[in-house]
Every structure is written in structure tokens, then in C-alpha cells.
Amino acid sequence: MSFLRRTYTKKLRGVDIAIVGIPYDLATSDRGGARFGPRALRAASVKIANSIPWPWGFDPTEHLAIIDYGDFGFDFGYPHMIPSEIESQASKVLKSGASMVALGGDHFIALPLLRAYAAQFGKLALVHFDAHSDSAADTTGRISHGTMFYHAVKEGLIDPAYSVQIGIRTHNSDPLGMRWLTADWVHEHSTREVARAIQETVNGRSAYLTFDIDCLDPAFAPGTGTPVVGGLTTAQARGILTKLQTVNFVGMDLVEVSPPYDCAEITALAGATLILDYLCIRASNRASHKARV
Ligand SMILES: [Mn+2]
């Protein structure tokens, strides 16, 4: 089944947002299974399709042309080729004028995606929800789900001065200039204060949203590869996202949903709902833009 019961098609003419699956999990350091994330997110999304999402009060599919592009294809027998294959397939979608929501897959996919987005939009602000900073230093080009944002900074894909990582609760001695709103800080502040801090950091720049489901506490997202206790509740994450309507997002991924470790589709439903919130942000952006014109 497709995401939110959208039409499955490779035709991109007139499309605002293409949902793409990237079933890749060879970069994980612990539990695998995120290659099954796209199908789990699609299945869970059916539960929230064709209804008016709370608290938004409108159906984003009535304001945006959203399709399900299916999954990117690549050959697991040539693992070193996969990053460039993801990048080129993403570039093809972006060049059509459509934006994307990528269904992971492990978090590594964000790096080739950011290469494609930066080629299209220039250096971006990163809004990154995660238990980990994923910016460990790496000078040898390992394909890892723990080093993408180190490379994204060094390659000039993202501007660390306008980038923010939310929900962090593991150590990294060098955040590379990105702002950290740690999980502890989030727990001590309201979702409104967290959203304000994100908006202040992004400061009107075009932004990319990357959401690692392990930002959520394992109680709310057990089905993931590298869970860390002490994370956000689903309600906190939604409370923050629903207050980011004024951020100019150009794309999103939601990664690290690993269905073999999930139970009762808790994790997949959380992920699908967070994506629906993103689609509502994009729809309300468009509505406000139309109103200004
Ligand atoms: Mn991550």
C-alpha cells in the first residue's frame, strides 16, 4: 500500500511532494531492519489517511499534490555505489521541481540526500531530531550512520551556524558549531520554547528536516536500531513540529524505523504521524504564501 493512500507513480509533472522509500540499512552499527522501514511507515500511514489531522484541522493532500514515488532501487552487490545512486535518484526528483519526503532506511541516507538538496538549493540549515549527533569525525569516508553530518558540514552542504540538533543524549566532544537542544533541555522547557529556539537558529534560512525516530524515547519508539533511554515523547515531538509552521523547509527524511524490533506498530505509527505533521507544515506554508500574494 502507498503512503497515505497516495497514487503510486513515477510521473513528477505538477507534483509538490514525492514520498520516496529508501530501503537501505547497511550503515547501521547495531540492530538492522531499517530496510523494512518504508513498508512499515506506509502501512501505518493508512491508519491516519483520509482524515483531518489533529490539531491542524485540514487535510494536507487537499492543498499539495503528494504522490508515492515508490522505492529507490540500488544494487546491494555494489555497496560502495549506493550513496551515489541515492544521490542521483534524489536529484532527478528534485530537478522536476518536486520536493521529497524520504522514508528510511538507516540515517546514512541523509548524506546523499543532502548532497542532492544542496546542489538544488545551496547550503541549508539542518533541523535534526536524534538521540545522537551523527557527526563523529571521519576522514576516511566510511559509510556509517554516525558520521553523515560531519561530512555534511565539511562538504558545505549545511551551515552549522544555522543548524540545530534536538533530543541529543549521547556525547560528542565537537558539535562542529551546530546548536544542541539536548533531551534534558527539551524536558525542562515547553514545546513552544523549543520551537522558538529552533526558529531562532534557522533564522529564515531554507531548512532540511531530518528526523531519526530514536530521538523519541524507546517507550515511544522501541522499533529502532540504536535506542537510548531518556528521549522525547511522541507528544513532545509533535508539539514542537506543529509550532514550526514558519520554517521554510525544502525537504524531509524520517529514518531508523526498524519493524523487527517494533511492537503494535508503535514506532511506525509515530513516524507516519510525524511525517503527516511535516506535510501539514508544508501545506500551511503554501496557504500563507498564497494569502500574501
Ligand atoms: Mn541518527
Side-chain angles (χ1 to χ4, degrees):
M1 58 201 80
S2 66
F3 195 83
L4 291 179
R5 297 191 192 280
R6 297 293 88 202
T7 303
Y8 261 124
T9 179
K10 298 289 185 194
K11 295 194 179 109
L12 292 166
R13 184 187 296 265
V15 169
D16 294 310
I17 297 180
I19 311 291
V20 307
I22 309 185
Y24 174 81
D25 66 2
L26 295 176
T28 47
S29 52
D30 192 11
R31 304 167 173 174
R35 68 179 63 188
F36 303 118
R39 68 177 72 168
L41 289 163
R42 287 184 172 110
S45 77
V46 171
K47 302 180 204 317
I48 50 174
N50 307 122
S51 61
I52 305 296
W54 183 269
W56 295 95
F58 60 85
D59 178 355
T61 66
E62 290 181 4
H63 301 270
L64 296 168
I66 302 170
I67 58 109
D68 193 326
Y69 190 75
D71 288 352
F72 284 0
F74 38 78
D75 188 338
F76 285 93
Y78 296 102
H80 58 290
M81 301 290 291
I82 292 174
S84 60
E85 286 181 18
I86 294 172
E87 181 184 347
S88 68
Q89 289 172 68
S91 296
K92 186 178 160 195
V93 176
L94 294 177
K95 280 180 185 150
S96 77
S99 180
M100 283 184 295
V101 171
L103 314 176
D106 71 46
H107 210 162
F108 173 77
I109 65 167
L111 181 56
L113 289 171
L114 278 169
R115 288 174 178 145
Y117 276 96
Q120 189 83 8
F121 297 101
K123 200 178 272 196
L124 294 165
L126 185 72
V127 177
H128 172 200
F129 288 81
D130 206 316
H132 319 81
S133 67
D134 293 349
S135 58
D138 167 44
T139 54
T140 58
R142 297 171 69 243
I143 298 177
S144 159
H145 73 157
T147 60
M148 305 81 64
F149 303 118
Y150 174 86
H151 292 292
V153 170
K154 299 296 176 188
E155 292 178 25
L157 312 176
I158 58 173
D159 190 333
Y162 300 100
S163 296
V164 56
Q165 301 183 299
I166 305 109
I168 304 295
R169 51 194 187 278
T170 51
H171 293 285
N172 179 350
S173 57
D174 185 5
L176 302 171
M178 290 182 275
R179 183 173 184 181
W180 276 17
L181 305 177
T182 66
D184 310 73
W185 192 89
V186 172
H187 289 313
E188 288 165 4
H189 292 79
S190 68
T191 57
R192 192 168 302 284
E193 289 167 308
V194 178
R196 192 183 308 133
I198 294 169
Q199 282 163 337
E200 281 169 6
T201 309
V202 171
N203 197 19
R205 270 28 178 215
S206 294
Y208 183 81
L209 176 62
T210 186
F211 202 111
D212 187 324
I213 203 69
D214 75 21
C215 177
L216 303 185
D217 190 86
F220 298 90
T224 193
T226 45
V228 184
V229 300
L232 276 60
T233 68
T234 312
Q236 280 175 302
R238 293 200 66 220
I240 296 164
L241 276 190
T242 52
K243 296 175 186 69
L244 295 180
Q245 292 171 56
T246 60
V247 176
N248 178 32
F249 287 115
V250 298
M252 177 199 192
D253 60 60
L254 189 131
V255 296
E256 300 282 355
V257 171
S258 178
Y261 295 95
D262 206 3
C263 44
E265 294 183 282
I266 296 171
T267 314
L269 180 60
T273 306
L274 293 164
I275 293 169
L276 184 56
D277 285 330
Y278 171 78
L279 296 173
C280 289
I281 293 172
R282 294 295 301 267
S284 57
N285 275 349
R286 162 163 291 195
S288 64
H289 179 68
K290 272 188 182 154
R292 281 199 299 273
V293 174

